[in-house]
């Protein structure tokens, strides 16, 4: 197909084995900086932070609810690919305290509005 544009709309990354001590201080700093609050849930991830600047967004989730009680948990971020650069300062901090960085999924978009099939 000619003229098809492919882009990544959203990317989800897990940072494994992030200590609670790091996350506790990290969430205070980032929430204060962006003027947001952390929410606590009972499904999926227990702790969530949603940052939306209008142009950039990043959702941060920490500790799967069903995970056994431990001081090291998974921290997940969801963002636009272009927002990864915008939030780089914060992501580098997480990277330094994570055991592994894993790509969970990404949404791929195909713009076929003006494409020709052959």
């Amino acid at each position: 197909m000619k003229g098809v544009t492919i882009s990544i709309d959203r990317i989800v990354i897990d940072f494994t084995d992030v200590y609670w001590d790091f996350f506790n201080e990290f969430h205070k700093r980032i929430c204060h900086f962006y003027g947001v609050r952390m929410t606590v849930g009972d499904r999926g991830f227990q702790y969530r932070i949603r940052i939306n600047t209008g142009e950039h967004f990043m959702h941060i989730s920490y500790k799967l609810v069903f995970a056994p009680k431990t001081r090291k948990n998974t921290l997940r971020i969801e963002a636009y690919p272009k927002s990864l650069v915008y939030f780089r300062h914060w992501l580098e901090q997480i990277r330094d305290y994570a055991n592994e960085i894993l790509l969970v999924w990404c949404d791929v978009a195909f713009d076929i509005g003006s494409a020709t099939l052959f």
Side-chain angles (χ1 to χ4, degrees), residues 12-38:
V12 179
I13 300 170
D14 278 356
F15 296 84
T16 64
D17 296 336
V18 176
Y19 278 97
W20 167 256
D21 294 341
F22 165 77
F23 177 74
N24 191 34
E25 292 302 316
F26 176 82
H27 98 268
K28 291 175 190 176
R29 290 190 317 271
I30 200 166
C31 286
H32 175 74
F33 187 85
Y34 289 103
V36 296
R37 293 180 181 234
M38 181 174 68

Side-chain angles (χ1 to χ4, degrees), residues 24-112:
N24 191 34
E25 292 302 316
F26 176 82
H27 98 268
K28 291 175 190 176
R29 290 190 317 271
I30 200 166
C31 286
H32 175 74
F33 187 85
Y34 289 103
V36 296
R37 293 180 181 234
M38 181 174 68
T39 60
V40 180
D42 56 359
R43 293 177 46 202
F45 281 87
Q46 190 167 5
Y47 305 102
R48 296 184 191 115
I49 303 166
R50 295 181 181 265
I51 301 166
N52 189 342
T53 67
E55 185 179 348
H56 299 283
F57 90 92
M58 182 167 64
H59 296 173
I60 302 169
S61 305
Y62 182 74
K63 189 185 179 305
L64 287 162
V65 171
F66 61 81
K69 197 168 194 170
T70 179
R71 296 191 56 77
K72 295 191 292 187
N73 292 285
T74 298
L75 187 151
R76 176 172 287 178
I77 64 110
E78 177 180 336
Y80 297 132
K82 67 180 181 178
S83 295
L84 295 176
V85 175
Y86 178 81
F87 292 111
R88 180 179 177 173
H89 168 75
W90 301 101
L91 295 171
E92 287 174 344
Q93 292 176 50
I94 300 168
R95 177 200 63 201
D96 292 344
Y97 286 90
N99 186 39
E100 289 183 299
I101 302 170
L102 307 170
L103 174 65
V104 177
W105 79 75
C106 63
D107 292 342
V108 178
F110 298 90
D111 182 9
I112 57 174

